[in-house]
Amino acid sequence: MPKCSVAGINFGWDLEKGKFLFEGDDAVLFWISSAMKTFFDTIEEISGEESSNLVFETTGFRQGLVVGQYFEKMKEVSVTEAAEMITATYATAGWGLTTIKDLDFNSKTLTAHMKDSWEHKINVAQGKTAGGSFLPAHYAGVFTGLFGTNIWYKVTQHQLEGHEYSMIEYFPSDITISDNIHQLARKKEAQKIQELEALVEEKTKELKGLVDRLSSPIIPVLEGIVVVPLIGKYDEDRSEQLIVRTLNNLPQYQANYLILDLTGIDEEICEHTASLLERIGRAASLIGTETILVGISAELGISITQSAINLSHFNCFQTLQHGIHFAFSQMGRSIV
């Protein structure tokens, strides 16, 4: 089996089994600007840029944490020595050149300079203008494992922005990967709720417009007689719309009689409905149209009586047929 050693790191190839070995463990090689770029592009295409960035960041941190915890168990190796061993090992594996600066075990802070990393090369191939989050988060995981405390990062410059290298500061923090995942989930949930609320509002407006058009239409039944059926409950806005629509349309029908059919109205008549009857009757009379009420059931009659609403100045009939016959007879005509 072919083997070689580079900077103290052992590589091997078992060609019969199709295996590549890195320090005795199975490894795999990919082309950065083609195969790995396609892998990253696909994740972003499926998940969206914001979600995929969190995926890369989370994966990088958790993989780094495994590495850091492994070296932390090597009690004979200091954090500084472990950091040098890790960065040297990563360099032989094609991860780019990372240099650790100002490592302070007491404050658990450090700065990393990353140059020509595989993530940077992928971002260049993708045409990105901002660097990725996998490797910055990866080293946060590494030092979380080495220090035994949660470490997070801040990118102060990206090589992709034209700098010689990326510079990342690391420090103890309460920020965790789980918090970031939950924050994104809540953000997406809030966005979805806003989208649903906007959709509901839009559909409500459409439905309200449809109801306004369909409810209380003006129906010319005979020459000089129109019928307006009242349906449901009338609040202030709906009452105003009905009055305006009815009065605007009465002249074109040359209506002598306006019959308000209360058959479909709520039995528990409210003040807006009572006011509507009063106002539409007065307004219609101003243009020479007399208002007749029909369809007053026993239940509605009781409700009107209990509400102390006075409808005595209206001609009232139990059925629409009776109201039409009355209006026709008042005009000196009869239905044959």
Side-chain angles (χ1 to χ4, degrees):
M1 182 175 70
K3 296 180 180 180
C4 70
S5 178
V6 178
I9 305 298
N10 296 314
F11 300 86
W13 292 264
D14 188 337
L15 301 181
E16 292 183 359
K17 295 182 179 179
K19 296 172 66 176
F20 167 65
L21 303 176
F22 182 86
E23 284 291 279
D25 288 331
D26 282 346
V28 64
L29 300 176
F30 283 107
W31 288 284
I32 291 174
S33 60
S34 55
M36 286 298 290
K37 172 185 177 296
T38 301
F39 175 68
F40 272 51
D41 286 343
T42 303
I43 292 178
E44 290 180 358
E45 181 182 358
I46 295 173
S47 303
E49 186 172 353
E50 186 175 25
S51 295
S52 60
N53 283 340
L54 182 58
V55 169
F56 298 143
E57 184 178 67
T58 303
T59 304
F61 180 89
R62 288 176 175 171
Q63 287 185 355
L65 185 61
V66 172
V67 174
Q69 289 174 338
Y70 171 79
F71 277 90
E72 193 274 334
K73 294 176 183 177
M74 301 170 63
K75 300 302 181 182
E76 70 280 5
V77 177
S78 68
V79 171
T80 300
E81 292 171 332
E84 292 175 353
M85 292 172 63
I86 292 170
T87 55
T89 301
Y90 282 3
T92 63
W95 282 45
L97 180 63
T98 299
T99 305
I100 303 302
K101 302 282 188 178
D102 304 322
L103 192 155
D104 188 326
F105 184 81
N106 292 323
S107 64
K108 295 179 172 50
T109 57
L110 65 133
T111 301
H113 294 180
M114 299 181 192
K115 184 175 182 180
D116 297 332
S117 70
W118 59 261
E119 186 173 29
H120 168 71
K121 293 174 183 177
I122 290 176
N123 293 156
V124 170
Q126 290 178 306
K128 293 289 186 67
T129 57
S133 57
F134 183 96
L135 285 176
H138 181 81
Y139 279 100
V142 168
F143 286 99
T144 293
L146 289 176
F147 287 136
T149 188
N150 193 72
I151 301 296
W152 201 240
Y153 69 94
K154 176 184 177 182
V155 179
T156 57
Q157 68 180 43
H158 273 297
Q159 185 179 353
L160 201 62
E161 299 166 344
H163 300 285
E164 183 181 355
Y165 49 78
S166 295
M167 184 163 64
I168 302 97
E169 297 176 355
Y170 292 91
F171 44 86
S173 174
D174 294 331
I175 298 174
T176 67
I177 284 296
S178 296
D179 290 339
N180 290 347
I181 293 174
H182 294 154
Q183 182 178 358
L184 179 62
R186 287 192 296 270
K187 180 179 179 181
K188 287 189 171 295
E189 181 179 331
Q191 291 173 341
K192 190 64 177 177
I193 290 174
Q194 289 177 351
E195 291 172 3
L196 290 174
E197 286 177 344
L199 180 61
V200 168
E201 183 177 356
E202 178 185 352
K203 295 303 179 184
T204 300
K205 287 181 179 178
E206 291 179 2
L207 180 60
K208 188 176 185 298
L210 178 61
V211 169
D212 288 341
R213 291 192 298 271
L214 295 180
S215 64
S216 307
I218 297 178
I219 305 170
V221 291
L222 290 169
E223 184 180 352
I225 302 173
V226 296
V227 175
V228 175
L230 303 187
I231 302 171
K233 180 177 291 188
Y234 286 82
D235 57 17
E236 186 174 357
D237 289 340
R238 195 174 175 214
S239 298
E240 195 65 34
Q241 289 173 3
L242 174 62
I243 292 171
V244 172
R245 188 186 306 115
T246 301
L247 296 180
N248 284 341
N249 285 280
L250 279 178
Q252 67 175 303
Y253 295 113
Q254 297 181 343
N256 297 314
Y257 287 91
L258 167 63
I259 301 178
L260 299 179
D261 188 352
L262 310 185
T263 305
I265 206 167
D266 275 7
E267 292 180 0
E268 294 184 4
I269 190 167
C270 67
E271 61 175 302
H272 289 300
T273 306
S275 174
L276 165 66
L277 299 177
E278 293 279 358
R279 290 174 62 198
I280 202 169
R282 289 198 305 268
S285 67
L286 293 176
I287 58 175
T289 303
E290 184 177 340
T291 302
I292 299 172
L293 304 183
V294 302
I296 301 178
S297 65
E299 292 79 5
L300 181 58
I302 293 173
S303 178
I304 292 173
T305 302
Q306 291 176 342
S307 66
I309 297 171
N310 182 13
L311 301 180
S312 60
H313 52 287
F314 290 110
N315 287 302
C316 300
F317 298 90
Q318 187 174 5
T319 67
L320 176 60
Q321 183 180 12
H322 289 151
I324 293 174
H325 275 284
F326 172 79
F328 220 54
S329 65
Q330 292 297 107
M331 292 189 296
R333 301 177 185 179
S334 63
I335 299 176
V336 181

